Amino acid sequence: MKALVAVKRVVDANVKVRVKPDNSGVDLTNVKMSINPFCEIAVEEAVRLKEKGIVSEIVVVSVGAKEAQEQIRSSMALGADHGILVETADELGALEVAKILKGVVAQEQPQLILLGKQAIDDDSNQVGQMLAALLGSGQATFASEVKVEGEKVQVTREIDGGLQTIELNLPAIITTDLRLNEPRYAALPNIMKARKKPLDTKSPADYGVATGSKLKTLKVEAPAERQAGVQVKSVDELVDKLKNEAKVI
Amino acid sequence: GVSKVLLADNAVYANQLAENVAGLIADLGKGYSHILAAATTTGKNILPRVAALLDVSMVSDVIAVESANTFKRPIYAGNAIATVQSEEAIIVATVRTTAFDAVAAEGGAAAIEAVSEAKDAGVSKFVSEEIVKTERPELSGARIVVSGGRGVGSGENYHKVLDPLADKLGAAQGASRAAVDAGFVPNDMQVGQTGKIVAPDLYIAVGISGAIQHLAGMKDSKVIVAINKDEEAPINAVADYWLVGDLNEVVPELVSKL
């Protein structure tokens, strides 16, 4: 079967971002960009399913700026076969991205659609669920284990309080959680090979989706700073501070 | 504050499968201007599906309400706060529970109405559930949280060192991603950007260095205490009090002096 994986180019997880002085957003100039960590886990899972002989072809799609090509190429270096970049300079909302992905699904007809549970930039955690709704498919969010069995897939999900296992008909949408797998590193020969793999460029209009969003960001501010704390030298001092200064115990 | 309760009691909604529940909420929701849920794993699973069924954008993890259609929400692991305005006719949003006080559990008067609609979307099935049993307070709502990180060394040591402290304080227990990934404790105890968001009166971080992703889950706690052997640990920058020392000695001493 064919698998489709959606990946997003985001600020690297280890970068501490800074808000722009005019409060229009965060400053992304000269900041290291990477593939969103949850998307990387989604690519890895697709590659593992391919290695098990369950998946025969992996298509990777990214919606965004031209530079997102880099993240598609990295995914291909990990084992994806084919890339699609839906290029747009506009900021898109989760709903618009889901609509574009719906168009890609209609074209590619994958049986498994893998996404990360959330992008670490906007922290929305919406696209997979929205795509599942638009397709009328089943969804397994926050997946920590995926087992394909015939025309069904069993997924264990990380929920508040523990784990839940559900079974979905294919085609199904799965969004990955941290514990699903440990993504591999791309080997140099595979990085070279990835350059020759096909990468199509499309536009949102190709899928009949207008860009923009009905969610407007009015401003972006830095969070309130915490007051500087103090180092205590002994457990006695700590207990005293907690009892008499902070009065929390 | 609740004026009406709609009750859909049907086997198709057992286990809160998103496909079935979202269909119901979207149908009922057409007559409302706002559809809200807590930003729990259940809320996060279901509401985006509802929003897409209604063809509207959605606002995740609201921490402040500015007006009927303008909200504040954290982005970039809480390193920035965005004010967003929705131009949708129906506003669908999840709410960060630690940012709002709970309403009184009594004194309300609401009529209960049964909802007869029960459609099974037919694409998903519940198989099983494995819920972690604990006698301790629930992590997201606890007044005191004691968390352990990689520094506690092992699952055995986590319990040996931190259980007595949590018992003494009546605290909930949490963990950093490193401690969860190393298998010290189960996943649902993870505090952070991708785990639980907590804001207790007192958060005690033991053996946690304080990665951006962990801070995102606890830096709104009222008082933060860090116990770490590393003087340079990033957690100290957000801690109100930090103590540099070996947690295996410091924590038992703390327990004996409380």
Side-chain angles (χ1 to χ4, degrees):
Chain A
M1 68 177 69
K2 198 173 189 176
L4 179 76
V5 186
V7 302
K8 186 176 185 185
R9 174 184 171 88
V10 298
V11 165
D12 188 86
N14 299 311
V15 171
K16 189 170 191 299
V17 296
R18 280 220 307 273
V19 171
K20 287 186 196 166
D22 67 355
N23 293 113
S24 62
V26 299
D27 194 353
L28 296 181
T29 42
N30 299 322
V31 168
K32 187 183 175 203
M33 303 292 280
S34 300
I35 181 169
N36 178 47
F38 292 99
C39 302
E40 208 173 9
I41 293 171
V43 172
E44 174 67 30
E45 195 63 19
V47 173
R48 290 186 187 190
L49 289 168
K50 193 177 164 193
E51 286 167 347
K52 284 183 197 155
I54 293 165
V55 162
S56 51
E57 187 190 358
I58 302 170
V59 180
V60 166
V61 56
S62 191
V63 181
K66 195 174 175 125
E67 291 77 16
Q69 276 189 21
E70 292 167 23
Q71 281 62 45
I72 295 178
R73 291 283 176 210
S74 332
S75 307
M76 294 200 279
L78 295 173
D81 301 288
H82 177 192
I84 301 169
L85 171 64
V86 184
E87 192 180 325
T88 169
D90 299 332
E91 283 243 351
L92 295 187
L95 184 63
E96 290 69 34
V97 173
K99 286 179 177 175
I100 290 170
L101 294 178
K102 184 191 174 190
V104 176
V105 169
Q107 204 171 44
E108 299 291 326
Q109 298 286 322
Q111 289 295 95
L112 269 183
I113 301 147
L114 295 151
L115 300 91
K117 80 164 175 180
Q118 75 191 62
I120 59 164
D121 51 1
D122 64 28
D123 284 331
S124 282
N125 195 331
Q126 297 178 4
V127 175
Q129 295 89 314
M130 286 182 161
L131 175 60
L134 298 176
L135 295 170
S137 302
Q139 67 185 54
T141 49
F142 327 138
S144 62
E145 198 184 347
V146 174
K147 276 191 250 168
V148 179
E149 284 156 0
E151 292 302 298
K152 312 234 182 220
V153 59
Q154 271 211 2
V155 183
T156 301
R157 308 176 51 231
E158 293 196 11
I159 58 168
D160 294 334
L163 299 169
Q164 181 194 58
T165 303
I166 57 171
E167 187 179 87
L168 305 175
N169 297 348
L170 298 177
I173 313 301
I174 296 168
T175 76
T176 63
D177 215 322
L178 284 171
R179 251 81 50 185
L180 181 58
N181 60 48
E182 184 85 33
R184 71 194 68 189
Y185 291 100
L188 188 60
N190 293 341
I191 295 172
M192 305 303 283
K193 273 185 224 153
R195 291 189 190 163
K196 297 206 176 69
K197 291 185 179 174
L199 198 168
D200 303 333
T201 303
K202 302 272 187 182
S203 75
D206 293 338
Y207 303 100
V209 179
T211 57
S213 170
K214 284 194 169 173
L215 275 188
K216 305 275 174 244
T217 299
L218 303 183
K219 65 177 172 193
V220 174
E221 299 160 290
E225 290 275 336
R226 289 188 72 92
Q227 282 207 316
V230 293
Q231 181 176 358
V232 293
K233 296 293 179 200
S234 68
V235 170
D236 288 317
E237 191 186 347
L238 177 61
V239 173
D240 174 63
K241 295 268 191 199
L242 290 177
K243 279 191 175 149
N244 303 317
E245 194 175 275
K247 297 189 170 56
V248 282
I249 52 171
Chain B
V2 177
S3 50
K4 187 161 81 175
V5 175
L6 299 178
L7 176 66
D9 183 2
N10 192 288
V12 304
Y13 304 124
N15 312 113
Q16 304 277 310
L17 289 171
E19 297 77 8
N20 301 347
V21 178
L24 173 74
I25 299 173
D27 276 353
L28 295 173
K30 288 192 178 88
Y32 293 82
S33 61
H34 292 72
I35 303 173
L36 308 177
T40 57
T41 49
T42 309
K44 290 177 190 171
N45 188 34
I46 294 171
L47 275 219
R49 191 169 178 113
V50 171
L53 291 174
L54 293 168
D55 194 25
V56 297
S57 311
M58 177 185 151
V59 187
S60 292
D61 227 1
V62 167
I63 56 166
V65 177
E66 304 283 286
S67 74
N69 67 356
T70 309
F71 309 93
K72 289 194 177 200
R73 59 177 304 266
I75 54 176
Y76 291 91
N79 286 303
I81 308 296
T83 304
V84 295
Q85 188 172 54
S86 174
E87 291 166 2
E88 301 285 6
I90 302 177
I91 289 173
V92 179
T94 53
V95 175
R96 180 173 289 195
T97 52
T98 57
F100 299 89
D101 292 330
V103 293
E106 45 193 55
I112 298 176
E113 259 176 46
V115 176
S116 56
E117 182 191 306
K119 244 186 326 203
D120 187 341
V123 290
S124 58
K125 204 176 83 185
F126 172 82
V127 177
S128 64
E129 207 160 61
E130 209 179 298
I131 297 299
V132 181
K133 288 197 183 71
T134 172
E135 309 270 297
R136 295 208 162 80
E138 204 271 315
L139 185 52
S140 319
R143 200 182 72 78
I144 301 179
V145 173
V146 173
S147 270
R150 195 197 310 269
V152 300
S154 67
E156 200 187 329
N157 207 45
Y158 178 100
H159 291 294
K160 189 178 137 215
V161 176
L162 296 187
D163 286 5
L165 182 59
D167 288 342
K168 194 96 183 196
L169 294 168
Q173 287 184 316
S176 69
R177 181 186 166 189
V180 172
D181 282 353
F184 299 174
V185 292
N187 305 347
D188 69 304
M189 282 171 66
Q190 184 184 331
V191 171
Q193 181 184 19
T194 62
K196 296 222 168 73
I197 311 286
V198 301
D201 287 349
L202 174 60
Y203 187 90
I204 305 182
V206 180
I208 294 177
S209 63
I212 298 171
Q213 291 78 10
H214 184 74
L215 301 184
M218 46 63 79
K219 70 185 163 112
D220 291 325
S221 305
K222 212 192 254 168
V223 174
I224 297 172
V225 171
I227 297 173
N228 210 302
K229 66 174 170 13
D230 179 7
E231 201 146 339
E232 303 292 315
I235 190 93
N236 298 346
V238 300
D240 297 277
Y241 308 110
W242 71 92
L243 181 59
V244 176
D246 181 350
L247 62 93
N248 295 305
E249 291 160 19
V250 171
V251 177
E253 188 187 343
L254 179 60
V255 173
S256 71
K257 286 179 176 161
L258 281 170

